[in-house]
Every structure is written in C-alpha cells, then in structure tokens.
Amino acid sequence: GTAALIWNEMIREKVTNFIMNQSKEQRILNFVLQNAVRGDPCSVVDTIDKYCSQKEWAMNVGNEKGLILDKTVEEVNPSVALELGSYCGYSAVRIARLLKAGARLLTVEFNPEFAAIAKQMIEFAGVQDKVKLLEGPTQEIIPQLKKKYEVDTLDFVFLDHWKDRYAPDTILLQECNLLRKGSVLLADNVIFPGAPEFLNYVRKSPHFQCTNYPSHLEYMQVEDAMEKAVFLG
C-alpha cells in the first residue's frame, strides 16, 4: 500500500544520498540549474515537477494541487502573502510568479539545508525581489512579522510545514492580529499525512469559512486534499 511505496522511496533516497554524497534536495536543485531556464519561474516549476514525477518523489505541492494553489492565489490577488514551510522553494516560486507588481511573499523554513536550497531556487527563478525567506521556527517568526517585517495583515497564508503546527500557528496568526476579514488560509496535506487538529479547529470555529478540495498526494495516486479557510473576522 501507500506506506510501503513511501517507505521504499525513503530507503532508495538514503542509499542514493550515501552513494552520491548529497541530499535529494541538492539533486533537485542541480537538476533545475542544469535543465530549467534561468529567470523563468514557470520553467523552474515544470522542471521540479518533471524530476519528482520521473526520478525521485519529493514533498513539493506538485502540479495537481499546484493548480488549486494557483487558482486560490489568483482569486485572492494578495499584496502580502505568507508561506509556512519553504522546503526546496517550489511553491514559493509557484506563488511568486502570480503576484502583482509590488506584492511580496514571506516564506518561513526551519531546516537550514532546505532554506539554503530554497534561496538558490528563488534566485535562479528570478523572483527574489518578491520573495523574502525567513529562517527559523514559525512560532518565533510569526510574532515578529508586524514589527520586524512590517506586515500589517496577511492576505494569503499557505500552510505546508509540520502538520502538527498547522493549528497552533493558525491560532498564533489570530492572536498576533495578522488576519483580516477575508484573509485566506490554504493548507496542504490535510488528508495525507493529515492535519486533523487543524481541520477540527477551523471547521468548528465561527471565525472561519471552510472549503475542502479533494486531490491526490503529489506525484502519486494517493488520496489527499487541501483545505481553504477564509477568515471572517
């Protein structure tokens, strides 16, 4: 089943890491640097999708759910967006390519290795003027957004980091007054690996209006979904 598939991928990845003396994330970046068009975010996104569907599975949002992400970003047309969990920079590039002039995306990554790769990916895609990468734990960075990063309120938030942080970070965004009436949260992987606490919280809260988008786990025919939660104030 699914667990076996992912377990096999993990073993294969560890063996390849050992032989090549580099991580999967470095291999993804190298593939992009060699095959994508510099300064073309669409080419970067397509090249990552190609690598991850043909060579090594990775936890990017992927193309199927990427279309849901695109549609949501286009509908919201944010001036200030926040992403929790940069990983290799795939969704940061994907979001940035849709941002209007003068809009900005803040993307938060806890893992220093992933942050370094995401930074290079963002620069290679030519979207570094729109994207600021913040390195550290979300629970430290979210409370600094207003003062340190001059954020008034967030128009759009994409949650794609540790699933057990979805609910506490959503509560933290509310407590820090970073959401306004109409702010849109979009959460990935709410079915697989799953974010039950988050779903329970936003669906029961009178402050959110929720929509579920059934889909599949990136690059696999495993059921997954994204959850959109609109903040009602």
Side-chain angles (χ1 to χ4, degrees):
T2 305
L5 274 173
I6 290 176
W7 181 249
N8 287 341
E9 278 293 338
M10 282 166 68
I11 300 216
R12 198 172 77 184
E13 181 188 329
K14 284 197 164 40
V15 171
T16 318
N17 291 355
F18 180 75
I19 294 167
M20 296 182 74
N21 191 25
Q22 55 166 210
S23 69
K24 171 172 69 179
E25 291 72 30
Q26 287 167 315
R27 291 193 290 278
I28 293 171
L29 177 66
N30 291 344
F31 188 79
V32 168
L33 299 180
Q34 288 158 13
N35 296 281
V37 179
R38 179 182 281 280
D40 180 347
C42 292
S43 167
V44 169
V45 164
D46 290 345
T47 305
I48 298 174
D49 280 335
K50 184 178 170 184
Y51 185 86
C52 296
S53 55
Q54 294 173 8
K55 298 185 188 292
E56 286 187 274
W57 183 85
M59 57 181 181
N60 312 303
V61 67
N63 196 44
E64 185 187 353
K65 288 186 294 183
L67 296 175
I68 302 167
L69 174 60
D70 291 354
K71 192 170 180 291
T72 310
V73 172
E74 283 165 345
E75 280 168 10
V76 178
N77 193 16
S79 296
V80 185
L82 173 69
E83 173 181 52
L84 304 178
S86 318
Y87 188 42
C88 290
Y90 173 92
S91 43
V93 171
R94 192 155 190 140
I95 293 166
R97 83 194 205 291
L98 300 171
L99 293 179
K100 59 192 169 191
R104 60 187 177 131
L105 168 68
L106 300 164
T107 181
V108 183
E109 179 51 59
F110 175 71
N111 179 318
E113 191 208 337
F114 295 168
I117 283 176
K119 216 177 167 69
Q120 292 176 77
M121 197 74 82
I122 288 160
E123 280 170 14
F124 184 82
V127 293
Q128 67 276 17
D129 299 349
K130 291 179 170 181
V131 183
K132 189 170 182 62
L133 192 135
L134 312 177
E135 196 182 315
T138 50
Q139 59 268 39
E140 278 179 27
I141 289 175
I142 289 170
Q144 301 178 332
L145 289 176
K146 276 192 187 284
K147 279 211 166 87
K148 196 171 175 184
Y149 301 103
E150 294 169 8
V151 173
D152 177 23
T153 53
L154 298 159
D155 304 308
F156 176 70
V157 182
F158 183 48
L159 297 94
D160 197 14
H161 57 325
W162 287 331
K163 309 313 152 195
D164 59 357
R165 288 297 318 166
Y166 281 21
D169 284 345
T170 299
I171 294 164
L172 195 53
L173 290 168
Q174 286 174 267
E175 286 171 350
C176 296
N177 296 314
L178 285 158
L179 303 180
R180 55 152 178 93
K181 190 176 155 69
S183 291
V184 173
L185 276 57
L186 185 67
D188 190 19
N189 303 120
V190 296
I191 303 295
F192 193 93
E197 243 188 307
F198 170 78
L199 289 184
N200 192 33
Y201 175 72
V202 289
R203 287 176 181 176
K204 285 185 175 166
S205 166
H207 298 289
F208 289 99
Q209 186 181 12
C210 298
T211 314
N212 187 264
Y213 297 103
S215 186
H216 295 92
L217 183 65
E218 45 273 17
Y219 318 114
M220 284 194 187
Q221 289 310 303
V222 175
E223 288 194 7
D224 192 13
M226 297 177 101
E227 187 86 1
K228 180 167 96 170
V230 181
F231 187 67
L232 304 173

